[in-house]
Amino acid sequence: MSERQFRRVFRARFAMAPVQYLQQLRLDKARSLLLCDGYSLQRICNEVGINEPRSLIRLFNTAFGCTPGEYKQHFC
């Protein structure tokens, strides 16, 4: 299967591009790790495969409407 065909099939199956799906998985994992005591933002970034904490903050804010710190304060 070509890359283009894979993307087409993936989008049809999951209603999003593969890169968007991967990003959503990373953000969901980051969200669950925020609720664990002792996990710093850098450690969460390392665990989910995001290079910089500021990138995680930006992505998290876009996806969930709050920063990771705000999320942690609200749910912990």
Side-chain angles (χ1 to χ4, degrees):
M1 177 183 296
S2 70
E3 182 179 341
R4 184 174 179 198
Q5 180 66 16
F6 171 77
R7 282 192 228 165
R8 191 176 305 128
V9 170
F10 192 96
R11 186 178 290 276
R13 174 85 166 121
F14 295 103
M16 66 179 71
V19 69
Q20 292 170 318
Y21 183 82
L22 180 59
Q23 184 176 3
Q24 187 62 46
L25 288 176
R26 287 176 171 159
L27 288 172
D28 289 343
K29 178 70 174 177
R31 189 168 46 173
S32 69
L33 290 174
L34 279 168
L35 302 178
C36 298
D37 288 336
Y39 276 73
S40 68
L41 202 53
Q42 182 62 54
R43 183 173 176 190
I44 293 171
C45 287
N46 293 341
E47 292 283 329
V48 300
I50 295 176
N51 293 331
E52 296 288 327
R54 65 186 153 165
S55 296
L56 176 61
I57 292 168
R58 181 180 49 78
L59 291 170
F60 202 92
N61 197 17
T62 300
F64 304 118
C66 62
T67 65
E70 292 168 342
Y71 182 86
K72 187 169 185 166
Q73 284 180 336
H74 187 266
F75 290 104
C76 285

